[in-house]
Every structure is written in C-alpha cells, then in structure tokens.
Amino acid sequence: MSISSFEDRRLRVGRAPTGNSLTSLVAEQIPLNVKQRMVVEKVLSDALAWAEHPFDSSRRKQMLLCIMGEGGTGKSQVIKAIVTGMDLLHRKKEVILTAPTGAAADNIGGNTYHTSLGISIDRSRATSTTRSRIKRLWERKTIIIVDEVSMMDLTMLSMINNHCKMAKSLDRNSPEFFGGLPIVIFVGDFFQFSPVRGPALWRVPRLNKDEDEIGQLLWHQFTQVIILDEQMRQTEDLSFRDFLLRARSGSLTSNDLSLNSKAITSLADPQLEGAMTVVKRNSIRHMVNRIQMEKFARLRNQRIYIYSAIHTRTKSTGPGNIRLRADDLLQQPDQGATIPFPGLFLYSTGMPAVILTNICTALGQVNGAAGTAVGVVVDPSDYKGQGSTLASAILDLKDDPTIRGLDRHRKFCSTYVQLSRLRSSEGLHLLQRLDMKDLQFEPDPRLLSEIQRLQELEKQTMAAWEGDKRREVHNKSQADERPE
Ligand SMILES: Nc1ncnc2c1ncn2[C@@H]1O[C@H](COP(=O)(O)OP(=O)(O)OP(=O)(O)O)[C@@H](O)[C@H]1O
C-alpha cells in the first residue's frame, strides 16, 4: 500500500462519513469478512457518534465489547482495521493497543498493559512520576483494545480498571468502568494460553481474594460479544483445518497419529531451512540451539563465538565462582533455575534470534521479538508463539510429565497454540514421534460452559446491532428527505 493511496482514501472520507462508508474504505486496504466487517463498522460508527463528546456519559453508551474466535479467524485483522479507520479520521491517537506480554503487544503494534498503565510487574502502587506520564499518555485516549485476554487474570482486570480511572483522573471509587473510556475491547481465545499467575477470566475467583471478585464482576460487564468463526489462516488446507478443530475440542483419535509421518529425522535436513522450532523445555532448547548454530555457521563458513553468560532470569542455586572449561559447559544441559553455574551464549554473525526481555517497548525490542544477529536460533518457549502465523515449524508436542505446574488444560492449550500457528500441514514437522497419550488433553469443562454463555451473548449482540443499524438507516433517510 502506498502512502498516496492512503491519502487518497482519506480524501474520500468526506464531510459526513458513516460507519459503513468508513469501513468500506478500510476494507480496500484490509480485507474483511462479514463478521469482521460488522464489528469494525459498529466500532467506527460509535466513534463517529460521540466524536464531539466522548466523556459525556449522558449522551453515549459505553461499549464493553469482547471479540473472541479460534486462532486464525482474523482477530488481529479486526484490530488493524479499527486502527486504520480511526487513522482515516485523523483520530488514530485516540486508540491505545495493549496486551499482557511484550510479544503479544508487538504483534499488534502496541505496548504491554503494564507499560501503558504504569502497572509494575510486582503490582505495587505507581509512583507519582509514573502517574503523570500515564495521565499525559491517556489525555486523548477514547478506545482501549486489549489483545490476548486469555492471558489476563481476574486480579489484573481489576487493576486495569483502577489504573484506567487513575489515567483519566477519576476517583478510585468512581462507578465508571475503565475510567469512562467510551470503548473498551477485549480480544482473544480462551483455548489459547492462560495467565501465569491468577485465575483466567472464565475461572472462579480465588477464596478471600476481593480483587478476583471485582475482576469477575468487571468481566461480566462485557455483554457485547462477537465470536469470529471463519478460518482465515488455514484456508488452503481443509483437512489440516479439520484436524485443528479436533485438537481444539479435545477429540483427536488414534487416526490422528498419522501425524507421526511428520516427525523429523534430523534437524540438518535441508527442507527444514527457515522452520522455527518451538519447544517446551530449556534442555531441549539448548540442544536444538547448538545443532542449529553449528549448521548455520558451517553453511556460511563462519566462526561460532562462545561466551559464558549469566542467567539473569533465573536464580542460580549453586556457588557462583566455579571455574569450568568451555568443553565442560557445552556438555551441560541448560535446565533453567537449577543450574549451578553460568550459562553459555553462542554467537555467529547474522544468526536469527529472539529477545528474551523487554529492552525498549517503544522500539519493539520486547520479550519474544524476532530479529537477526542478537541471540540464538529457535523460539525458546511456546508462550512466545501465540499470535503469530508460521509457514513452517518444528513442534515439540510430546507430553513431558516432569514439567511441573502445568495442569491438563494448560497442556491442551500448549498443543493447540503450537498447531494453530501453521497455515497448512505441509509446513508442520514434529521434533519427536507422538503416542496417543500426547494428544489426549481436553479443555476444562468450566471453559466450555463459559463459551456457551458467550455464544448466548453473541446472539443478543447481533440482534441489538442489527436493530441499531436499521434505526440509523431510517433516521438518515428521514434527515435526507427533510427540506433544508
Ligand atoms: N478477511 C481476511 N481476508 C484475508 N486474509 C485474512 C482476513 N482476516 C485475516 N486474514 C489473514 O489470516 C491470518 C490470520 O489472521 P489473524 O492473525 O488476524 O488471526 P487471529 O484470530 O488474530 O489469530 P491468533 O488467535 O492466532 O492470533 C493472517 O495471515 C491474516 O492476514
């Protein structure tokens, strides 16, 4: 898309755009299917309706909208389209895009909600400097979009609500939700990763945790729901799409073990060039990284430089002054928190890499961002894959019962998220052969009842939106007929 074509569309917005006319202009740049279009049109027509008085709650209804949909149904596409529509109106600055992790935020060109709202990682109170920075940032904001809400916990939702009030200079006890922002949009898929800390939005609050209770109360205010259901990622490979649907409903059968034909025999296979490897354990990551690094350097006739490195993200349990030879270190599996000695950093010029910490969110240097020549070759954890689309990948779907803290639901999510990144089965490769027990994880039954509740809300939302649209068309035609 050239700038001039965007400017040309801007000129075509005219003096009195409607949600419909604006969405048509957006769709020239960002294709939208029927449901995607319906959502974009509704959001843009609301934004047009209260443009002059966004914070006067007596003249507009607050929209608390939840956009759900399985991986690849085009949720990120809807986010892009809303932002583009606001950009056409010269109102892009009113939109704030956030997500629970740096990688997820980077995927939509936003920031983590921690950064955007001044929520510290330990969830302590914001300092006065942070408060003034946030207030400045939020001065003109009217729309917040939070992506990947499956990773948000109930307490965090309550905190986001409080911090939005602070950002909009409202009292903590104000009854306004989310600082009275006219539009709050949550986007995600609960079949993908759950929060690391507290209960997901669909789970029951923890006992004696008031913040969880408030979080649940807030979640239940999201009564406008749209569930995108047209698969836009796996459009070319229908049998892979069916396989994914079985994976999503936890109904894979022994026939699906035919997947084992995708098991790789060697990471050095030339047809795996460019395929990302997604693994669950650091020890496997370490091994894969070394093999890929050697392959990379050999192909380019380059040296590999080996640096001893400190694991800044883990607590070293052993003495820090052990002297080890590089050869000894190379034999050590990198087991995360239990390693008693420094780690190793292998470097070869131009190697593909993934950043493991948030360095500068404004520049997209966030945990999970991919680049070249600054790290090691594989994606080190399945959490970082969420939100991306891959043409080719080597997946580690083998269940590892020794990984602690992962319940069956999380294992189910891990398998589904890894598989659903791919466009087709052609690009799918397995790191290890599977047994039936590796495929037998199911979604939590409580999630299934939440999905039913959301489906019911979707029916009501669609009926209400259709009514609104009929009224809008009727009012417009009456206004057009009225003499000047
Ligand atoms: N209406 C559309 N027409 C053509 N392609 C589309 C459309 N909507 C989405 N896509 C493409 O389909 C793929 C998946 O879309 P997107 O990433 O928006 O899905 P998602 O629901 O956000 O997925 P996930 O939950 O995995 O993050 C992308 O490559 C996107 O460009």
Side-chain angles (χ1 to χ4, degrees), residues 218-272:
L218 287 161
W219 170 233
H220 287 162
Q221 303 305 312
F222 285 74
T223 50
Q224 300 195 59
V225 175
I226 293 293
I227 305 174
L228 299 179
D229 45 18
E230 195 177 330
Q231 183 50 248
M232 306 309 296
R233 186 175 283 139
Q234 292 92 25
T235 45
E236 312 270 284
D237 187 343
L238 296 182
S239 68
F240 184 55
R241 185 188 145 62
D242 289 345
F243 167 75
L244 277 180
L245 284 176
R246 290 196 295 283
R248 189 175 170 87
S249 57
S251 56
L252 290 169
T253 68
S254 53
N255 289 341
D256 292 306
L257 284 175
S258 58
L259 201 64
N260 278 327
S261 66
K262 301 275 180 185
I264 60 168
T265 46
S266 159
L267 280 166
D269 187 338
Q271 69 153 332
L272 298 177

Short mmCIF file of all heavy atoms in Angstrom, two decimals, residues 218-272:
data_model
loop_
_atom_site.label_atom_id
_atom_site.label_comp_id
_atom_site.label_asym_id
_atom_site.label_seq_id
_atom_site.Cartn_x
_atom_site.Cartn_y
_atom_site.Cartn_z
N LEU A 218 -16.32 -7.26 36.70
CA LEU A 218 -15.99 -6.44 35.52
C LEU A 218 -16.12 -7.26 34.24
O LEU A 218 -16.67 -6.81 33.24
CB LEU A 218 -14.56 -5.90 35.63
CG LEU A 218 -14.35 -4.79 36.65
CD1 LEU A 218 -12.87 -4.67 37.01
CD2 LEU A 218 -14.85 -3.47 36.08
N TRP A 219 -15.62 -8.49 34.30
CA TRP A 219 -15.68 -9.36 33.11
C TRP A 219 -17.14 -9.56 32.68
O TRP A 219 -17.46 -9.55 31.50
CB TRP A 219 -14.97 -10.68 33.41
CG TRP A 219 -15.15 -11.76 32.38
CD1 TRP A 219 -15.58 -13.04 32.59
CD2 TRP A 219 -14.90 -11.66 30.96
NE1 TRP A 219 -15.62 -13.73 31.41
CE2 TRP A 219 -15.20 -12.91 30.41
CE3 TRP A 219 -14.46 -10.64 30.13
CZ2 TRP A 219 -15.08 -13.17 29.03
CZ3 TRP A 219 -14.34 -10.90 28.75
CH2 TRP A 219 -14.65 -12.15 28.24
N HIS A 220 -18.02 -9.67 33.63
CA HIS A 220 -19.43 -9.90 33.30
C HIS A 220 -20.12 -8.65 32.75
O HIS A 220 -21.27 -8.71 32.32
CB HIS A 220 -20.17 -10.50 34.50
CG HIS A 220 -19.79 -11.94 34.72
ND1 HIS A 220 -20.02 -12.61 35.90
CD2 HIS A 220 -19.17 -12.82 33.90
CE1 HIS A 220 -19.55 -13.85 35.79
NE2 HIS A 220 -19.03 -14.00 34.59
N GLN A 221 -19.42 -7.51 32.78
CA GLN A 221 -19.99 -6.30 32.14
C GLN A 221 -19.81 -6.35 30.63
O GLN A 221 -20.42 -5.57 29.91
CB GLN A 221 -19.29 -5.02 32.65
CG GLN A 221 -19.32 -4.81 34.14
CD GLN A 221 -20.73 -4.83 34.67
OE1 GLN A 221 -21.62 -4.18 34.14
NE2 GLN A 221 -20.94 -5.61 35.73
N PHE A 222 -18.94 -7.23 30.16
CA PHE A 222 -18.72 -7.31 28.71
C PHE A 222 -19.86 -8.12 28.09
O PHE A 222 -19.73 -9.31 27.82
CB PHE A 222 -17.35 -7.95 28.41
CG PHE A 222 -16.21 -7.01 28.67
CD1 PHE A 222 -15.82 -6.71 29.97
CD2 PHE A 222 -15.56 -6.37 27.62
CE1 PHE A 222 -14.80 -5.82 30.22
CE2 PHE A 222 -14.53 -5.48 27.87
CZ PHE A 222 -14.15 -5.20 29.17
N THR A 223 -20.97 -7.44 27.87
CA THR A 223 -22.16 -8.16 27.38
C THR A 223 -22.27 -8.09 25.87
O THR A 223 -23.13 -8.74 25.28
CB THR A 223 -23.43 -7.58 28.03
OG1 THR A 223 -23.38 -6.17 27.86
CG2 THR A 223 -23.52 -7.94 29.50
N GLN A 224 -21.43 -7.28 25.22
CA GLN A 224 -21.44 -7.29 23.76
C GLN A 224 -20.32 -8.25 23.34
O GLN A 224 -19.15 -8.04 23.69
CB GLN A 224 -21.19 -5.90 23.21
CG GLN A 224 -22.26 -4.92 23.68
CD GLN A 224 -22.24 -3.64 22.86
OE1 GLN A 224 -22.40 -3.66 21.65
NE2 GLN A 224 -22.07 -2.54 23.53
N VAL A 225 -20.71 -9.29 22.63
CA VAL A 225 -19.74 -10.34 22.29
C VAL A 225 -19.88 -10.71 20.81
O VAL A 225 -21.00 -10.87 20.31
CB VAL A 225 -20.03 -11.61 23.15
CG1 VAL A 225 -19.11 -12.76 22.72
CG2 VAL A 225 -19.85 -11.32 24.63
N ILE A 226 -18.74 -10.81 20.14
CA ILE A 226 -18.75 -11.35 18.78
C ILE A 226 -17.71 -12.46 18.73
O ILE A 226 -16.58 -12.29 19.20
CB ILE A 226 -18.41 -10.25 17.73
CG1 ILE A 226 -19.52 -9.21 17.66
CG2 ILE A 226 -18.18 -10.87 16.34
CD1 ILE A 226 -20.87 -9.67 17.11
N ILE A 227 -18.12 -13.61 18.18
CA ILE A 227 -17.18 -14.73 18.07
C ILE A 227 -16.88 -14.94 16.58
O ILE A 227 -17.75 -15.38 15.83
CB ILE A 227 -17.77 -16.01 18.71
CG1 ILE A 227 -18.20 -15.72 20.15
CG2 ILE A 227 -16.77 -17.15 18.65
CD1 ILE A 227 -18.93 -16.85 20.85
N LEU A 228 -15.69 -14.57 16.16
CA LEU A 228 -15.32 -14.76 14.75
C LEU A 228 -15.20 -16.25 14.48
O LEU A 228 -14.63 -17.00 15.28
CB LEU A 228 -14.00 -14.04 14.44
CG LEU A 228 -14.02 -12.53 14.65
CD1 LEU A 228 -12.65 -11.92 14.34
CD2 LEU A 228 -15.09 -11.85 13.82
N ASP A 229 -15.76 -16.69 13.34
CA ASP A 229 -15.78 -18.14 13.13
C ASP A 229 -15.37 -18.58 11.74
O ASP A 229 -15.48 -19.74 11.39
CB ASP A 229 -17.18 -18.70 13.47
CG ASP A 229 -18.27 -17.86 12.88
OD1 ASP A 229 -17.98 -17.08 11.95
OD2 ASP A 229 -19.43 -17.97 13.34
N GLU A 230 -14.87 -17.62 10.92
CA GLU A 230 -14.41 -18.03 9.59
C GLU A 230 -12.89 -18.14 9.63
O GLU A 230 -12.21 -17.15 9.92
CB GLU A 230 -14.85 -16.99 8.55
CG GLU A 230 -14.73 -17.49 7.15
CD GLU A 230 -15.24 -16.46 6.12
OE1 GLU A 230 -16.15 -15.67 6.45
OE2 GLU A 230 -14.70 -16.44 5.02
N GLN A 231 -12.39 -19.34 9.36
CA GLN A 231 -10.95 -19.57 9.46
C GLN A 231 -10.23 -18.86 8.31
O GLN A 231 -10.52 -19.12 7.15
CB GLN A 231 -10.68 -21.07 9.45
CG GLN A 231 -9.24 -21.48 9.61
CD GLN A 231 -8.54 -20.83 10.79
OE1 GLN A 231 -7.64 -20.01 10.61
NE2 GLN A 231 -8.95 -21.19 12.01
N MET A 232 -9.31 -17.93 8.62
CA MET A 232 -8.62 -17.18 7.58
C MET A 232 -7.17 -17.61 7.43
O MET A 232 -6.49 -17.18 6.52
CB MET A 232 -8.65 -15.67 7.89
CG MET A 232 -10.01 -15.07 8.15
SD MET A 232 -11.28 -15.42 6.91
CE MET A 232 -10.64 -14.64 5.45
N ARG A 233 -6.67 -18.43 8.36
CA ARG A 233 -5.26 -18.83 8.29
C ARG A 233 -5.10 -20.12 7.49
O ARG A 233 -4.28 -20.23 6.61
CB ARG A 233 -4.70 -19.00 9.71
CG ARG A 233 -3.21 -19.27 9.72
CD ARG A 233 -2.65 -19.30 11.14
NE ARG A 233 -2.49 -17.99 11.69
CZ ARG A 233 -2.78 -17.66 12.95
NH1 ARG A 233 -3.27 -18.56 13.78
NH2 ARG A 233 -2.59 -16.42 13.38
N GLN A 234 -5.91 -21.14 7.80
CA GLN A 234 -5.75 -22.44 7.13
C GLN A 234 -6.74 -22.56 5.97
O GLN A 234 -7.47 -23.55 5.87
CB GLN A 234 -5.94 -23.59 8.11
CG GLN A 234 -4.86 -23.72 9.16
CD GLN A 234 -5.19 -22.98 10.44
OE1 GLN A 234 -6.36 -22.76 10.74
NE2 GLN A 234 -4.19 -22.59 11.19
N THR A 235 -6.79 -21.55 5.09
CA THR A 235 -7.79 -21.58 4.02
C THR A 235 -7.44 -22.58 2.93
O THR A 235 -8.32 -23.07 2.23
CB THR A 235 -7.92 -20.19 3.38
OG1 THR A 235 -6.62 -19.69 3.16
CG2 THR A 235 -8.69 -19.21 4.24
N GLU A 236 -6.16 -22.91 2.78
CA GLU A 236 -5.74 -23.75 1.66
C GLU A 236 -5.77 -25.25 1.99
O GLU A 236 -5.75 -26.06 1.10
CB GLU A 236 -4.29 -23.41 1.29
CG GLU A 236 -4.02 -21.95 1.14
CD GLU A 236 -4.25 -21.47 -0.28
OE1 GLU A 236 -3.39 -21.74 -1.11
OE2 GLU A 236 -5.31 -20.85 -0.52
N ASP A 237 -5.79 -25.59 3.28
CA ASP A 237 -5.62 -27.00 3.66
C ASP A 237 -6.78 -27.39 4.58
O ASP A 237 -6.69 -27.30 5.80
CB ASP A 237 -4.26 -27.14 4.37
CG ASP A 237 -3.90 -28.58 4.66
OD1 ASP A 237 -4.81 -29.44 4.63
OD2 ASP A 237 -2.73 -28.86 4.94
N LEU A 238 -7.86 -27.87 3.95
CA LEU A 238 -9.08 -28.11 4.74
C LEU A 238 -8.93 -29.29 5.69
O LEU A 238 -9.51 -29.32 6.78
CB LEU A 238 -10.28 -28.30 3.82
CG LEU A 238 -10.62 -27.04 3.00
CD1 LEU A 238 -11.85 -27.25 2.14
CD2 LEU A 238 -10.81 -25.81 3.90
N SER A 239 -8.13 -30.30 5.30
CA SER A 239 -8.02 -31.45 6.21
C SER A 239 -7.20 -31.03 7.44
O SER A 239 -7.46 -31.50 8.55
CB SER A 239 -7.45 -32.68 5.51
OG SER A 239 -6.14 -32.45 5.17
N PHE A 240 -6.24 -30.13 7.27
CA PHE A 240 -5.48 -29.64 8.44
C PHE A 240 -6.41 -28.82 9.33
O PHE A 240 -6.36 -28.89 10.55
CB PHE A 240 -4.29 -28.80 7.98
CG PHE A 240 -3.42 -28.32 9.11
CD1 PHE A 240 -2.87 -29.23 10.01
CD2 PHE A 240 -3.13 -26.97 9.28
CE1 PHE A 240 -2.06 -28.79 11.07
CE2 PHE A 240 -2.34 -26.53 10.33
CZ PHE A 240 -1.80 -27.44 11.22
N ARG A 241 -7.31 -28.07 8.69
CA ARG A 241 -8.27 -27.28 9.45
C ARG A 241 -9.17 -28.20 10.31
O ARG A 241 -9.40 -27.94 11.48
CB ARG A 241 -9.14 -26.47 8.48
CG ARG A 241 -10.05 -25.54 9.18
CD ARG A 241 -11.05 -24.87 8.28
NE ARG A 241 -12.31 -24.72 9.02
CZ ARG A 241 -12.46 -24.03 10.12
NH1 ARG A 241 -11.44 -23.41 10.66
NH2 ARG A 241 -13.61 -23.94 10.73
N ASP A 242 -9.62 -29.31 9.70
CA ASP A 242 -10.46 -30.25 10.45
C ASP A 242 -9.66 -30.87 11.61
O ASP A 242 -10.17 -31.07 12.71
CB ASP A 242 -10.97 -31.38 9.53
CG ASP A 242 -12.00 -30.84 8.56
OD1 ASP A 242 -12.50 -29.72 8.80
OD2 ASP A 242 -12.29 -31.52 7.56
N PHE A 243 -8.40 -31.18 11.32
CA PHE A 243 -7.54 -31.73 12.36
C PHE A 243 -7.44 -30.75 13.54
O PHE A 243 -7.56 -31.13 14.71
CB PHE A 243 -6.15 -32.01 11.75
CG PHE A 243 -5.09 -32.29 12.75
CD1 PHE A 243 -5.04 -33.51 13.42
CD2 PHE A 243 -4.12 -31.33 13.06
CE1 PHE A 243 -4.04 -33.76 14.37
CE2 PHE A 243 -3.14 -31.56 14.00
CZ PHE A 243 -3.10 -32.78 14.66
N LEU A 244 -7.28 -29.46 13.21
CA LEU A 244 -7.18 -28.44 14.27
C LEU A 244 -8.48 -28.34 15.06
O LEU A 244 -8.46 -28.14 16.27
CB LEU A 244 -6.88 -27.08 13.66
CG LEU A 244 -5.43 -26.80 13.34
CD1 LEU A 244 -5.28 -25.42 12.74
CD2 LEU A 244 -4.58 -26.89 14.61
N LEU A 245 -9.60 -28.49 14.37
CA LEU A 245 -10.88 -28.43 15.08
C LEU A 245 -10.99 -29.60 16.07
O LEU A 245 -11.49 -29.44 17.18
CB LEU A 245 -12.05 -28.46 14.10
CG LEU A 245 -12.31 -27.14 13.34
CD1 LEU A 245 -13.43 -27.31 12.32
CD2 LEU A 245 -12.67 -26.02 14.33
N ARG A 246 -10.49 -30.77 15.65
CA ARG A 246 -10.50 -31.91 16.58
C ARG A 246 -9.55 -31.64 17.76
O ARG A 246 -9.85 -31.94 18.91
CB ARG A 246 -10.10 -33.21 15.87
CG ARG A 246 -11.14 -33.73 14.89
CD ARG A 246 -10.88 -35.20 14.52
NE ARG A 246 -9.64 -35.39 13.79
CZ ARG A 246 -9.47 -35.11 12.50
NH1 ARG A 246 -10.47 -34.62 11.79
NH2 ARG A 246 -8.31 -35.30 11.91
N ALA A 247 -8.40 -31.01 17.46
CA ALA A 247 -7.46 -30.70 18.55
C ALA A 247 -8.10 -29.72 19.52
O ALA A 247 -7.95 -29.83 20.74
CB ALA A 247 -6.18 -30.10 17.96
N ARG A 248 -8.87 -28.77 18.98
CA ARG A 248 -9.48 -27.74 19.81
C ARG A 248 -10.58 -28.31 20.69
O ARG A 248 -10.79 -27.86 21.81
CB ARG A 248 -10.08 -26.67 18.88
CG ARG A 248 -10.57 -25.44 19.58
CD ARG A 248 -11.02 -24.43 18.56
NE ARG A 248 -11.71 -23.32 19.20
CZ ARG A 248 -11.12 -22.25 19.70
NH1 ARG A 248 -9.84 -22.13 19.64
NH2 ARG A 248 -11.84 -21.30 20.27
N SER A 249 -11.27 -29.33 20.18
CA SER A 249 -12.36 -29.88 21.00
C SER A 249 -11.86 -31.07 21.82
O SER A 249 -12.65 -31.77 22.46
CB SER A 249 -13.54 -30.28 20.12
OG SER A 249 -13.10 -31.20 19.16
N GLY A 250 -10.57 -31.34 21.79
CA GLY A 250 -10.01 -32.45 22.58
C GLY A 250 -10.51 -33.79 22.07
O GLY A 250 -10.74 -34.71 22.84
N SER A 251 -10.74 -33.92 20.74
CA SER A 251 -11.29 -35.19 20.25
C SER A 251 -10.40 -35.80 19.17
O SER A 251 -10.89 -36.37 18.20
CB SER A 251 -12.72 -34.97 19.73
OG SER A 251 -12.71 -33.96 18.74
N LEU A 252 -9.09 -35.70 19.36
CA LEU A 252 -8.18 -36.36 18.42
C LEU A 252 -8.26 -37.87 18.65
O LEU A 252 -8.47 -38.32 19.79
CB LEU A 252 -6.75 -35.86 18.63
CG LEU A 252 -6.49 -34.41 18.22
CD1 LEU A 252 -5.13 -33.93 18.73
CD2 LEU A 252 -6.57 -34.25 16.71
N THR A 253 -8.15 -38.65 17.58
CA THR A 253 -8.26 -40.11 17.73
C THR A 253 -6.94 -40.75 17.28
O THR A 253 -6.03 -40.07 16.80
CB THR A 253 -9.39 -40.65 16.83
OG1 THR A 253 -8.97 -40.47 15.47
CG2 THR A 253 -10.71 -39.93 17.08
N SER A 254 -6.92 -42.09 17.38
CA SER A 254 -5.68 -42.79 17.00
C SER A 254 -5.38 -42.56 15.51
O SER A 254 -4.21 -42.64 15.11
CB SER A 254 -5.80 -44.27 17.33
OG SER A 254 -6.96 -44.77 16.74
N ASN A 255 -6.40 -42.27 14.69
CA ASN A 255 -6.12 -41.97 13.27
C ASN A 255 -5.20 -40.76 13.13
O ASN A 255 -4.45 -40.65 12.17
CB ASN A 255 -7.42 -41.64 12.51
CG ASN A 255 -8.27 -42.88 12.34
OD1 ASN A 255 -7.74 -43.99 12.46
ND2 ASN A 255 -9.55 -42.70 12.10
N ASP A 256 -5.31 -39.86 14.12
CA ASP A 256 -4.50 -38.64 14.03
C ASP A 256 -3.03 -38.87 14.31
O ASP A 256 -2.21 -37.98 14.11
CB ASP A 256 -5.07 -37.56 14.97
CG ASP A 256 -6.42 -37.09 14.50
OD1 ASP A 256 -6.50 -36.69 13.32
OD2 ASP A 256 -7.38 -37.14 15.27
N LEU A 257 -2.72 -40.10 14.77
CA LEU A 257 -1.30 -40.41 14.96
C LEU A 257 -0.57 -40.50 13.63
O LEU A 257 0.66 -40.61 13.58
CB LEU A 257 -1.13 -41.70 15.75
CG LEU A 257 -1.40 -41.57 17.25
CD1 LEU A 257 -1.33 -42.92 17.93
CD2 LEU A 257 -0.40 -40.60 17.89
N SER A 258 -1.33 -40.43 12.53
CA SER A 258 -0.68 -40.36 11.20
C SER A 258 0.24 -39.13 11.14
O SER A 258 1.10 -39.03 10.29
CB SER A 258 -1.73 -40.29 10.09
OG SER A 258 -2.54 -39.16 10.30
N LEU A 259 0.03 -38.22 12.09
CA LEU A 259 0.89 -37.05 12.24
C LEU A 259 2.36 -37.45 12.38
O LEU A 259 3.25 -36.68 12.05
CB LEU A 259 0.44 -36.33 13.53
CG LEU A 259 0.77 -34.86 13.72
CD1 LEU A 259 0.06 -34.04 12.66
CD2 LEU A 259 0.31 -34.40 15.11
N ASN A 260 2.57 -38.67 12.89
CA ASN A 260 3.95 -39.12 13.10
C ASN A 260 4.76 -39.17 11.81
O ASN A 260 5.98 -39.18 11.85
CB ASN A 260 3.97 -40.48 13.79
CG ASN A 260 3.79 -40.31 15.29
OD1 ASN A 260 4.24 -39.31 15.84
ND2 ASN A 260 3.13 -41.26 15.92
N SER A 261 4.05 -39.19 10.66
CA SER A 261 4.81 -39.17 9.40
C SER A 261 5.54 -37.84 9.25
O SER A 261 6.41 -37.67 8.41
CB SER A 261 3.86 -39.37 8.21
OG SER A 261 2.99 -38.26 8.14
N LYS A 262 5.17 -36.86 10.11
CA LYS A 262 5.79 -35.53 10.05
C LYS A 262 7.01 -35.43 10.97
O LYS A 262 7.59 -34.35 11.10
CB LYS A 262 4.78 -34.47 10.50
CG LYS A 262 3.54 -34.44 9.67
CD LYS A 262 3.80 -33.58 8.47
CE LYS A 262 2.62 -33.48 7.56
NZ LYS A 262 2.96 -32.73 6.36
N ALA A 263 7.32 -36.55 11.68
CA ALA A 263 8.45 -36.48 12.62
C ALA A 263 9.75 -36.33 11.83
O ALA A 263 9.95 -37.01 10.81
CB ALA A 263 8.48 -37.73 13.47
N ILE A 264 10.61 -35.45 12.30
CA ILE A 264 11.85 -35.23 11.57
C ILE A 264 12.89 -36.28 11.98
O ILE A 264 12.83 -36.83 13.08
CB ILE A 264 12.41 -33.82 11.82
CG1 ILE A 264 12.71 -33.60 13.31
CG2 ILE A 264 11.47 -32.76 11.31
CD1 ILE A 264 13.53 -32.34 13.57
N THR A 265 13.83 -36.55 11.08
CA THR A 265 14.88 -37.49 11.44
C THR A 265 16.15 -36.73 11.81
O THR A 265 16.96 -37.20 12.59
CB THR A 265 15.17 -38.46 10.27
OG1 THR A 265 15.28 -37.68 9.09
CG2 THR A 265 14.08 -39.49 10.12
N SER A 266 16.30 -35.54 11.25
CA SER A 266 17.49 -34.75 11.57
C SER A 266 17.18 -33.27 11.42
O SER A 266 16.54 -32.85 10.45
CB SER A 266 18.62 -35.14 10.61
OG SER A 266 19.58 -34.11 10.59
N LEU A 267 17.69 -32.49 12.36
CA LEU A 267 17.50 -31.04 12.27
C LEU A 267 18.31 -30.46 11.11
O LEU A 267 18.10 -29.32 10.70
CB LEU A 267 17.94 -30.37 13.57
CG LEU A 267 16.95 -30.42 14.72
CD1 LEU A 267 17.64 -30.03 16.01
CD2 LEU A 267 15.76 -29.51 14.47
N ALA A 268 19.25 -31.28 10.59
CA ALA A 268 20.11 -30.79 9.50
C ALA A 268 19.43 -30.95 8.13
O ALA A 268 19.98 -30.54 7.12
CB ALA A 268 21.42 -31.55 9.52
N ASP A 269 18.25 -31.56 8.10
CA ASP A 269 17.55 -31.77 6.83
C ASP A 269 17.35 -30.43 6.11
O ASP A 269 16.79 -29.50 6.66
CB ASP A 269 16.17 -32.39 7.19
CG ASP A 269 15.42 -32.81 5.95
OD1 ASP A 269 15.73 -32.28 4.88
OD2 ASP A 269 14.51 -33.64 6.08
N PRO A 270 17.83 -30.33 4.84
CA PRO A 270 17.74 -29.03 4.14
C PRO A 270 16.31 -28.52 4.00
O PRO A 270 16.09 -27.32 3.94
CB PRO A 270 18.35 -29.32 2.76
CG PRO A 270 18.97 -30.65 2.84
CD PRO A 270 18.48 -31.36 4.04
N GLN A 271 15.32 -29.43 3.96
CA GLN A 271 13.94 -28.92 3.80
C GLN A 271 13.43 -28.22 5.08
O GLN A 271 12.36 -27.61 5.06
CB GLN A 271 12.98 -30.03 3.34
CG GLN A 271 12.70 -31.07 4.36
CD GLN A 271 11.33 -31.73 4.14
OE1 GLN A 271 10.41 -31.14 3.61
NE2 GLN A 271 11.21 -32.97 4.56
N LEU A 272 14.21 -28.30 6.16
CA LEU A 272 13.78 -27.60 7.39
C LEU A 272 14.39 -26.20 7.49
O LEU A 272 14.17 -25.50 8.47
CB LEU A 272 14.19 -28.41 8.62
CG LEU A 272 13.57 -29.79 8.73
CD1 LEU A 272 14.12 -30.51 9.95
CD2 LEU A 272 12.05 -29.70 8.83
#
